[in-house]
Amino acid sequence: MYQTAKTLFLLGLFTLLVAVSWPQTKSTAAAPIMESVTWQAEDFAQGSGDGTAVSSTGLTLDGTAVTAVYTSDPIYTPINFNALVTSWEADVPADTSLAIQVRTRQGSNNWSEWFHLETHVDLVDEEDHENLSDMITVPEADETHDTIQFSVSFGRFDTAVSPELHSISFTFIDTTAGPTAEELLARQAALDAANGSKPDGTAYPRPTVISREVWCTSVDCDYTAGLAYDDASHMIVHHTVSSNTSSNWAATVRAIWAFHTYPASDSCTSCRGWGDIGYNYLIDQNGLIYEGHMNQDYLNLDVVGTHASGANTGSMGVSLIGTFTAVDYPGLPGIAPPTAMRNSLVELLSWKADQRNINVYESDATMPYVEGGRPNLMGHRDVYGTTECPGDQAHQLLPWLRDQVAANVGTVDEHLYTNEDSAQFTKSAASWYEGGNECGHNLHSYYTFSTMNPAESANWGIWRPVVPENGRYLIQMYIPYCSTGKSETDGATYEVHHANGVTTVVASQQASLGQWLTLGEFDLTAGTDNYVYLDDLTTTDSDLGLWFDGLRLLKMSPPPDEMNPIAPAAGSWLNDTQVDFSWEIITTTSQVLTTTFTVSTDAAQSNQLVSQTWNTAVLNHSHDFGAEQPALYWQATAVVKHTDDTLETLNTPVIQFGIDTTVPTSTITAVYQMPTDDFLVQWSGSDNLSGLAGFTLAYRAQGEMDWTTWLTDTTAVSGFFTPPDPAQFYEFQILAKDVAGNSQPASTPAADLGTEQAIPLPHAIMLPLITK
């Protein structure tokens, strides 16, 4: 998969403009307190670092240094703050590096740990060269801090190029003046008691949630302009990348809301101006759930938030408050989501999955602004693969989350899986890549690149599923939406080795990104003899991504036993009294005990002319009726025994047919001479049973023996004849054919009326027709 950051931003911007607009009228009466500080150019002189240099354009390496670390002097902030957001502008050429850390404290107390700052890709416009970190929060024990310090680490391989930090801005937010989580719970309980329970149309209950009207205390929280709604088909898990030491989670939620809501200004240079918090829901580490983005009906509508660019529409974004990266993540170690947080996440996801009938085991292509499919329950990183969110320790919970949600709402996954990191998968001893950031089904995948040159082909893999019993199975391969830096192959060539031989399936992985690619249905034998083989050799392309991820089987239910008529068909007419009947009996494992065949003069089969029964499966029968029959009805019946010893009677429909052996009759009834050289010829015919199907007419010059065809199988009863030689007389011959296929033999009729007997048109107006 390859998608530029520019494309990602445009998708997010489009969704933002369509779905979200900040309130038309903003009041600051109850707004959080925010101030910003920006350093640029000579401001960096207020710090030190061997090997660094300060210039009019910013902070960089000096002429000879390859690595260096710069540390600022302590910066005393204009307000006490409980949340900090950092943004910066920098040039980082290829083969160079620039990393920023920040720490905070109150007065002269001990510093916090260093926080490694990462760019939040869903918050910035790449064209503005802006980098924006996630939010840092102050520990509850301190409540607020008033001092920060930052450091910058530089690196390069070539002294001819250098990374440079042009500017850095810090936005300080104070939201400690609002209610605590305990106060919010009390207010919510009172509100729920006053409002009573409200139905939301789901069998699985919505968990206790702190409503927006309880926690969002600013007057700017209540608005409706610009809201858009779209039923969620996907659920996305995030983390806020904020401090794990805080316990004033309510203040953290208000800080996130302020940062997302207000437009950038001198007091908040990093604010996003989205008009609202981006997530649909947030969960703190005590398991308390908060309503997020404004929604006019949280119980029944899914508002489009601002949390995952193009995936905003058609998803519910839930953010875990804290940082859940791996314990060894450089500069930003995280923790595992606490039990209370995990349990609340399961409950919230279960409610939404039940309400929207979301199968958490599937990966559907239903979000309108997202290419391909995505797992219906996924981490933020699974949307585009361009972020660490929700951190490894939260992302690794996804298989467990799917199982928990499925169990809650009664979803049963009947597929049998063979993963590429299991003992049932073998691969060549070649060079392989692995999907980054735990990308792939069950958090893992391999990939390589296609080639059209057999001499370059080196990568192959074999999935050998454990098939529990003989039967017919649907085979699907997962094609993850992960980054290879390129598009994927259109010519993945799978070999399916099954009970009936080998079937080659050529499929486009590019067309199935983020989805299960169906190879087809195949008969498989119990055990491990069946397998799917894939290598990197294609006939369509070279140097494109080729994925080796999970395989799954689905046992197909055998088709129901059935009985179908073949001949004669319904409504048919036959021209032979000897009739051949045939039908088919379609069974899988059932045994045919008896077959019965009947022909009757009525549809109810009460006046039977033929009745025959066999103690086995019979598929045809012949009978000579000896005479014409205007209407007969036939039916075949079979009694089958299933593997559970139950009996079932199968029937064909009752089929009507007729027998007509009589040749039809026909004649030329009139010939008129037109004022021109043309003649109007009229004819008629009759058939007493099956009816006329058409006429064939021929002509010849008077005195000749051979006939020349004029009209073939026409259903008309008149036509204009133009004589080849106006000076000659012409004779006509007519042959009729009926629906049963009986035709007048060409030798039977003699010449009929001809042009010699034609009536000139002026006389024809007054005189009767000339008939034989």
Side-chain angles (χ1 to χ4, degrees):
M1 176 272 294
Y2 174 73
Q3 188 162 18
T4 65
K6 171 66 175 175
T7 304
L8 297 178
F9 171 73
L10 290 175
L11 282 169
L13 179 60
F14 174 79
T15 308
L16 175 63
L17 292 175
V18 171
V20 185
S21 69
W22 58 290
Q24 298 298 312
T25 302
K26 290 282 184 180
S27 169
T28 58
I33 302 171
M34 295 182 289
E35 291 291 343
S36 294
V37 170
T38 299
W39 277 29
Q40 55 190 350
E42 285 77 9
D43 294 328
F44 292 110
Q46 302 173 65
S48 61
D50 291 341
T52 62
V54 177
S55 71
S56 60
T57 58
L59 179 67
T60 187
L61 288 163
D62 67 18
T64 60
V66 176
T67 62
V69 177
Y70 167 90
T71 304
S72 74
D73 294 340
I75 301 172
Y76 301 99
T77 62
I79 62 169
N80 285 6
F81 65 93
N82 68 300
L84 166 66
V85 178
T86 307
S87 62
W88 64 96
E89 292 188 17
D91 285 328
V92 186
D95 295 327
T96 70
S97 62
L98 185 153
I100 302 174
Q101 297 185 98
V102 65
R103 61 183 180 177
T104 68
R105 72 182 180 188
Q106 175 64 41
S108 59
N109 294 340
N110 291 333
W111 288 105
S112 69
E113 71 271 29
W114 283 103
F115 292 95
H116 176 75
L117 303 184
E118 276 201 354
T119 297
H120 195 314
V121 296
D122 284 317
L123 300 180
V124 298
D125 178 358
E126 182 186 346
E127 291 184 343
D128 292 338
H129 305 287
E130 179 188 23
N131 298 275
L132 185 65
S133 76
D134 286 287
M135 181 176 292
I136 297 171
T137 56
V138 171
E140 168 69 8
D142 295 343
E143 189 172 349
T144 61
H145 282 180
D146 61 9
T147 309
I148 68 167
Q149 187 176 42
F150 71 93
S151 74
V152 186
S153 299
F154 296 96
R156 62 183 174 184
F157 291 104
D158 185 351
T159 57
V161 293
S162 180
E164 183 172 18
L165 177 64
H166 298 300
S167 66
I168 189 168
S169 296
F170 304 96
T171 294
F172 309 101
I173 306 173
D174 182 10
T175 54
T176 57
T180 65
E182 291 74 16
E183 292 169 333
L184 292 177
L185 277 170
R187 293 182 184 184
Q188 188 65 50
L191 182 64
D192 291 343
N195 292 338
S197 62
K198 296 180 180 179
D200 61 7
T202 63
Y204 199 86
R206 185 184 190 229
T208 299
V209 175
I210 301 300
S211 63
R212 184 183 175 92
E213 61 183 303
V214 167
W215 73 259
C216 203
T217 56
S218 171
V219 294
D220 295 331
C221 292
D222 188 15
Y223 71 98
T224 58
L227 295 176
Y229 298 90
D230 191 84
D231 285 354
S233 60
H234 290 70
M235 301 180 292
I236 304 175
V237 179
H238 300 258
H239 68 163
T240 60
V241 201
S242 51
S243 303
N244 293 317
T245 54
S246 174
S247 59
N248 189 355
W249 305 116
T252 299
V253 172
R254 291 191 293 269
I256 295 171
W257 174 83
F259 165 56
H260 286 187
T261 297
Y262 293 105
S265 63
D266 290 341
S267 62
C268 185
T269 55
S270 301
C271 283
R272 296 295 88 195
W274 293 343
D276 207 342
I277 198 166
Y279 311 115
N280 298 107
Y281 290 90
L282 300 95
I283 304 177
D284 71 25
Q285 294 188 17
N286 294 323
L288 201 57
I289 306 172
Y290 303 80
E291 289 177 345
H293 196 92
M294 177 63 186
N295 188 332
Q296 292 169 286
D297 184 356
Y298 285 94
L299 290 179
N300 299 294
L301 298 176
D302 297 321
V303 72
V304 177
T306 313
H307 58 92
S309 294
N312 291 333
T313 302
S315 72
M316 180 182 78
V318 183
S319 193
L320 307 179
I321 301 174
T323 298
F324 306 104
T325 51
V327 294
D328 58 352
Y329 189 83
L332 194 65
I335 64 171
T339 300
M341 173 180 273
R342 296 199 306 269
N343 291 342
S344 291
L345 178 60
V346 168
E347 293 301 301
L348 183 64
L349 297 175
S350 298
W351 164 68
K352 185 55 64 175
D354 182 58
Q355 183 185 57
R356 297 294 181 235
N357 195 28
I358 299 172
N359 186 333
V360 292
Y361 292 119
E362 290 300 326
S363 186
D364 295 327
T366 53
M367 292 185 289
Y369 305 120
V370 171
E371 175 192 11
R374 296 295 189 280
N376 292 353
L377 173 54
M378 61 179 158
H380 183 195
R381 67 176 64 172
D382 300 316
V383 178
Y384 295 117
T386 54
T387 176
E388 292 289 330
C389 182
D392 283 358
Q393 296 193 71
H395 194 257
Q396 289 163 4
L397 292 175
L398 285 172
W400 175 82
L401 279 172
R402 293 184 182 113
D403 290 340
Q404 296 299 307
V405 172
N408 281 348
V409 301
T411 299
V412 177
D413 188 4
E414 297 181 345
H415 293 92
L416 303 171
Y417 292 88
T418 300
N419 292 318
E420 77 295 338
D421 56 354
S422 70
Q424 282 70 52
F425 178 79
T426 55
K427 65 183 191 303
S428 61
S431 176
W432 290 85
Y433 302 94
E434 294 184 82
N437 270 350
E438 301 174 335
C439 188
H441 174 68
N442 216 33
L443 311 182
H444 183 269
S445 57
Y446 290 115
Y447 71 93
T448 184
F449 295 96
S450 63
T451 179
M452 298 177 67
N453 184 353
E456 296 177 353
S457 177
N459 295 78
W460 56 261
I462 293 176
W463 294 261
R464 198 177 289 274
V466 178
V467 180
E469 59 181 334
N470 294 348
R472 192 162 184 82
Y473 291 82
L474 178 72
I475 301 181
Q476 295 178 306
M477 315 298 294
Y478 191 67
I479 312 301
Y481 193 98
C482 305
S483 178
T484 62
K486 302 177 181 181
S487 298
E488 271 63 42
T489 180
D490 282 323
T493 305
Y494 297 89
E495 288 182 5
V496 183
H497 295 250
H498 49 84
N500 302 319
V502 180
T503 300
T504 299
V505 180
V506 180
S508 171
Q509 291 193 349
Q510 178 66 29
S512 299
L513 288 174
Q515 300 170 77
W516 287 96
L517 187 158
T518 298
L519 299 186
E521 293 183 18
F522 303 91
D523 293 324
L524 304 182
T525 55
T528 58
D529 290 339
N530 318 274
Y531 63 92
V532 175
Y533 172 89
L534 175 67
D535 61 32
D536 53 8
L537 188 63
T538 77
T539 60
T540 57
D541 47 63
S542 291
D543 204 30
L544 296 184
L546 181 66
W547 289 97
F548 293 71
D549 203 330
L551 171 151
R552 72 180 186 182
L553 305 179
L554 180 63
K555 178 72 180 298
M556 305 304 292
S557 299
D561 295 340
E562 60 182 63
M563 200 167 184
N564 300 312
I566 297 177
S572 61
W573 281 93
L574 310 177
N575 58 17
D576 192 339
T577 59
Q578 178 76 31
V579 180
D580 295 326
F581 299 89
S582 62
W583 54 90
E584 63 178 0
I585 305 174
I586 302 175
T587 65
T588 51
T589 58
S590 303
Q591 176 188 0
V592 179
L593 300 181
T594 64
T595 308
T596 299
F597 172 75
T598 59
V599 181
S600 179
T601 59
D602 63 314
Q605 297 287 292
S606 59
N607 184 28
Q608 295 180 355
L609 302 182
V610 180
S611 179
Q612 181 72 48
T613 298
W614 303 270
N615 293 322
T616 186
V618 174
L619 302 179
N620 54 73
H621 183 65
S622 295
H623 184 79
D624 192 341
F625 292 90
E628 293 183 326
Q629 298 288 342
L632 293 177
Y633 301 84
W634 75 271
Q635 184 179 42
T637 303
V639 176
V640 299
K641 180 179 180 181
H642 300 303
T643 54
D644 59 0
D645 291 334
T646 59
L647 301 181
E648 180 184 3
T649 300
L650 308 177
N651 299 289
T652 68
V654 175
I655 303 299
Q656 179 184 355
F657 71 102
I659 301 174
D660 177 4
T661 60
T662 302
V663 174
T665 61
S666 62
T667 185
I668 302 293
T669 58
V671 180
Y672 298 96
Q673 184 171 9
M674 308 300 291
T676 61
D677 291 335
D678 292 344
F679 293 86
L680 173 63
V681 182
Q682 295 181 333
W683 56 86
S684 66
S686 65
D687 186 88
N688 293 329
L689 284 180
S690 61
L692 289 170
F695 303 93
T696 297
L697 289 93
Y699 66 88
R700 66 185 178 189
Q702 201 172 59
E704 291 185 356
M705 296 298 295
D706 296 328
W707 293 98
T708 300
T709 300
W710 172 28
L711 300 172
T712 302
D713 293 332
T714 181
T715 58
V717 292
S718 65
F720 287 100
F721 172 74
T722 301
D725 183 357
Q728 294 212 48
F729 291 114
Y730 288 89
E731 301 171 336
F732 298 105
Q733 181 191 63
I734 184 168
L735 306 176
K737 182 178 180 180
D738 64 18
V739 173
N742 299 299
S743 298
Q744 290 178 278
S747 60
T748 300
D752 223 317
L753 289 178
T755 58
E756 187 177 14
Q757 294 84 30
I759 301 172
L761 184 61
H763 299 285
I765 296 174
M766 298 174 291
L767 297 176
L769 297 178
I770 297 177
T771 59
K772 294 180 66 175

